[in-house]
Structure formats: C-alpha cells, structure tokens
Amino acid sequence: MKKILIIGAGVIGCSVARELSRYDAEITVLERENDVACGTSKANSGVVHGGFDAKPGTKKAHYNVRGNAMFDKLSKELDFPFRRNGAYVLCFDDDRWDGLKKLYDQGLENGVKDVKVVTGDEVRKREPYVSPEVKGALWCPSSGIVSPYEMTIAYAENAAKNGVKFVFEKKVSKLEKDGAKIKVVCEDGEEYAADVVVNAAGLYSDELNNTVNDKKYKIVPRKGEYMLLDKTAGYLTSTTLFQLPTAMGKGILVVPSVHGNILLGPTAVDIDDKDCKDTTYDGLSEAFDKARVTVPSLTKKQVITQFTGLRAHADAGDFVIGFAGELPLYNLVGIESPGLTAAPAIAVDASEEIADYLGLTFNHGFDPIRKGIPCFAKMTEKERAEIAKKNPLYGRIVCRCEVVTEGEIVDSINRPVGAKDLDGVKRRTRAGMGRCQSGFCSERVMEIIARERGIDMTEVTKSGKGSEIVIGRVE
C-alpha cells in the first residue's frame, strides 16, 4: 500500500487528510504540537470570504470562490458551526468610491455573482450601530463565518475515522530525497519514508521545502492581534464589517463569531519570529481604535480576552500548490487569507492530484459523516432531560459561562484525535471560553482530564509540554 505523509495538522493538513482518506493508502499526519489546530487555524478571523478581494487569475481567487461554495454541504457532513451572515466592505470617504468599484469588478470577474454597491444609509438600515461616517459599501451576502478550530477538528476526526493516523509532538527537521521516495527526518531522530510527502507546515512550509527542493520559498510571519468581546456585545453587528483594504490586507474587522461574540482585528505587522504570539499594548490599541471607526459605540468594558495569530505570507504573492518539480513532494505553501475559505477546494484538488500520481484506488468504506459532541447549551429542556437520563454526566454543569457539561468534556477527551489539555477541551466544548475565561471551571476541567487520561494533576497542561499548571501537592 502506498504511504503518504502529511506534515502539519492545521486546517489545510487535516482537510487534505480527510480527502485523501477517500482512497486506499497508508496516510499519516505529523504535527509538531500536541493537537490539531494549534497554529494559524486556531487564531484567525473565522471569516468565509466571498471572493471579491483576491486578484483575478490567482490561485487565491480560484480556490476562494470554489471553497466558499462548498461550506453548506461540508458543515452538514462534518457537523461544525457555519453561517452565511454576509459582509460589508465600508467606504468612509467620497473620493474612495473607486475602491468599492474595483472590488465589485473583481468579484464579478472571480465569479461572485451576488455582490453589489449600496449606500451608507442602506448599511445602517441593516446594521444601525455602523458609523454615520460610512458613505457606502460593497455588500456580499455569500460571505460567512465559521469556527476555524472546530472545522479543523471535524476534518481530523473524520480523517481518523477513515483510517488516517495522527502522530503528535513530532517536529520535522528536514526532508531528504530517498530514491523514488522522500525521507522525513524528525528532530527526535526518528525517520519516515513516504511515496508522497504533503507539505502543509504553515509558517514552516518554506523551511521544509528548502531542505530538498531547488526552488526556494520564503515565508514571512504576518502578526495579527485581536480582541474578543463578550456575548453581551453581540447586538453590535450580525454581518462581517470590513474597511476598504490596504496593501497589508483587509484591515481591521468587526465580525460576529458563530457563538455570539464579537471579534475585533487583526492588525498586520510583518515580523521575523515564527513563534511570537505576544500581544502588545500598541497592537491591541490599534485594533480597538480602528474598530471604533466602524462601530463608534464599542467599549473596552466588553473585552474578555486578547490573542495573536500569525499568517504565513509567502514572497511568491500567491498560494503555492502542487508537486515540487520531479520530487514526490506536494507543496501547500503560503496558504494565508483566504486560506480557511479555500481549504475545502484545495484539499479536493490536492487529493485528486496525489491519487492520480500514485495510481490510488477508491476506499469503498469511506464515510463522509462526522457527528460532533452534543451541545448541551443549545438543547431544549426536554432534550437536556433526555440526554442526562441516558448519561448522568450531561447533567453536571462544569463551565457556567458557556453551559458546558462534564459529559461534553469527557466526550472531547475520548473521541478520535481527542483533547489532551485545557486548550484542547476548550476548542472542542467551549469550556473556559466565556466571560470569566475559565476562572471558575479550570480546576474541575483539570480533574476530568487527569481522571480520563490516567495522569496526575501535575501532568495536566494548558497547551502542551512546558505549560503545566500546578507543580505539586500540598501535604
């Protein structure tokens, strides 16, 4: 059986893994962290872009529009939260109407048929908290919002269900040509040989490519800082609010989350350190101040947390997708925004191309359906009573802010590709994502993790090795 190694368990790596599991092959995903969605896939805007912003003729434009159209079916198959809430690109100056017209024309050229230019009054009729200074906007109803980490987890779970193996805490140091194969050398000295290696290593995809491929790439980490507002701010907008973009990106957004929060950001600063996820006073201030240009009534009293995400900006200026010359290396390099939107379509094309290259046959046992963890918070009283009767753990509330039960937390740990730490549980259940930011529930979640994993409390981490929360027991 042909062997395929995928490096990286972000949304790109996991979506490719799931699509490749439609074929008969031995597929393994190697991930440097201890869980899926630990990089860019957990820290981004969660926007499913309409496709009007990408330059016509680019891979970004092509895969953005194709990927957008796949979300309705995909979210039902894989049971992750997604909503088409629409998006406005706001114009604040009469002399920048040409910018809206350019986006409108690009949208039509890219195949986005539902875009139109509207007046500021039309925007405020739908979104009354938008600034009175807005003169007009581009309206795109096909834009949407998704939970990026839940989408990635859903892809990973379905891939695992269909036979894909995930190996965590396995950092790849280099690739080597090995006859007709590629050898993957890990930092711990372990080596793997594969008929095809899929390079979905995000910020590090250039470094892996450059160890074996004559054609070199350079990834520049583009740092974006965000503020997350409490659900009490959810009334401020139901649609995604962009400002007219600049050369550095789409600017500061005010965007609702699928769970009812409001997200402000991101900033866009190119840095050198691919591991720098610090938030800064200046960055957060910029995000908030620019967001207030869009929605003047924003207040910092509603901010419950801040975070930083890094985007893999490639010097190539576009997605790099495909085999690296004659090498059995399939590159997915520089998949920055709109990479989340493009992921489903990229995964289909990549898997088909790799299957054709290897002469793979279809896996007739492939099951495209994945069912998520039952969400107690969204159930009716009758449904809550029924599930608690079947499993009493669903009758025990652990996270009060998000109404998450012990049953959900246990399920999140014991599922395929299950949670191993506090952040893993948080991404799968929302325990700790509410207003108190786990101030109330963290100790209880730790106890459940320790019990279910058969480890001591001192071994429970926030987000992998080096983030242990307690150091010992008081005798």
Side-chain angles (χ1 to χ4, degrees), residues 89-109:
V89 182
L90 306 176
C91 175
F92 293 84
D93 303 299
D94 286 325
D95 59 359
R96 292 202 67 195
W97 278 88
D98 58 336
L100 290 183
K101 181 64 166 55
K102 179 182 178 181
L103 289 180
Y104 173 80
D105 291 339
Q106 280 189 174
L108 293 182
E109 189 172 348

Side-chain angles (χ1 to χ4, degrees), residues 406-441:
E406 183 174 351
E408 292 163 89
I409 295 169
V410 170
D411 196 357
S412 76
I413 297 166
N414 294 312
R415 293 170 72 84
V417 202
K420 303 177 183 69
D421 53 30
L422 281 176
D423 281 0
V425 169
K426 181 189 292 187
R427 286 190 291 271
R428 290 163 174 83
T429 68
R430 294 190 61 75
M433 281 199 177
R435 190 167 189 171
C436 85
Q437 287 292 291
S438 79
F440 173 81
C441 66

Side-chain angles (χ1 to χ4, degrees), residues 381-425:
E381 289 302 316
K382 181 180 178 181
E383 290 169 336
R384 289 179 175 183
E386 288 175 351
I387 196 168
K389 186 177 181 180
K390 292 178 182 176
N391 182 353
L393 295 183
Y394 275 86
R396 300 177 187 172
I397 303 295
V398 175
C399 174
R400 295 180 180 180
C401 296
E402 295 293 320
V403 195
V404 180
T405 66
E406 183 174 351
E408 292 163 89
I409 295 169
V410 170
D411 196 357
S412 76
I413 297 166
N414 294 312
R415 293 170 72 84
V417 202
K420 303 177 183 69
D421 53 30
L422 281 176
D423 281 0
V425 169

Side-chain angles (χ1 to χ4, degrees), residues 238-269:
S238 62
T239 56
T240 300
L241 303 175
F242 294 94
Q243 298 169 0
L244 268 176
T246 68
M248 289 296 286
K250 300 175 181 67
I252 300 299
L253 287 73
V254 178
V255 56
S257 77
V258 289
H259 296 291
N261 301 87
I262 296 291
L263 191 63
L264 313 180
T267 54
V269 179

Side-chain angles (χ1 to χ4, degrees), residues 101-280:
K101 181 64 166 55
K102 179 182 178 181
L103 289 180
Y104 173 80
D105 291 339
Q106 280 189 174
L108 293 182
E109 189 172 348
N110 289 342
V112 186
K113 297 182 174 63
D114 57 359
V115 288
K116 65 177 180 178
V117 176
V118 299
T119 66
D121 288 339
E122 288 179 271
V123 176
R124 285 181 288 273
K125 186 176 180 180
R126 180 186 288 265
E127 299 294 353
Y129 294 95
V130 165
S131 169
E133 300 301 317
V134 170
K135 309 299 183 184
L138 183 76
W139 166 239
C140 181
S142 63
S143 292
I145 48 177
V146 69
S147 173
Y149 41 87
E150 288 179 78
M151 175 181 169
T152 305
I153 290 164
Y155 263 123
E157 288 187 359
N158 190 239
K161 178 181 180 181
N162 286 293
V164 175
K165 181 182 178 182
F166 285 79
V167 181
F168 294 104
E169 297 180 318
K170 189 63 65 174
K171 185 177 180 180
V172 177
S173 57
K174 64 178 178 178
L175 307 178
E176 294 179 355
K177 184 79 168 64
D178 185 17
K181 299 178 184 291
I182 290 279
K183 184 164 68 175
V184 176
V185 181
C186 299
E187 201 172 63
D188 61 5
E190 190 168 2
E191 297 180 356
Y192 298 79
D195 296 289
V196 166
V197 169
V198 180
N199 178 13
L203 290 161
Y204 300 90
S205 57
D206 59 338
E207 296 176 22
L208 292 184
N209 169 82
N210 296 349
T211 63
V212 71
N213 188 9
D214 291 336
K215 184 172 178 56
K216 310 301 182 183
Y217 298 106
K218 181 175 175 58
I219 294 291
V220 177
R222 183 159 287 176
K223 181 179 179 181
E225 297 185 51
Y226 291 89
M227 286 181 162
L228 184 70
L229 275 56
D230 186 46
K231 290 180 180 179
T232 56
Y235 66 91
L236 291 171
T237 182
S238 62
T239 56
T240 300
L241 303 175
F242 294 94
Q243 298 169 0
L244 268 176
T246 68
M248 289 296 286
K250 300 175 181 67
I252 300 299
L253 287 73
V254 178
V255 56
S257 77
V258 289
H259 296 291
N261 301 87
I262 296 291
L263 191 63
L264 313 180
T267 54
V269 179
D270 289 345
I271 62 175
D272 296 323
D273 187 353
K274 293 182 178 181
D275 293 313
C276 178
K277 297 177 183 177
D278 300 341
T279 54
T280 64

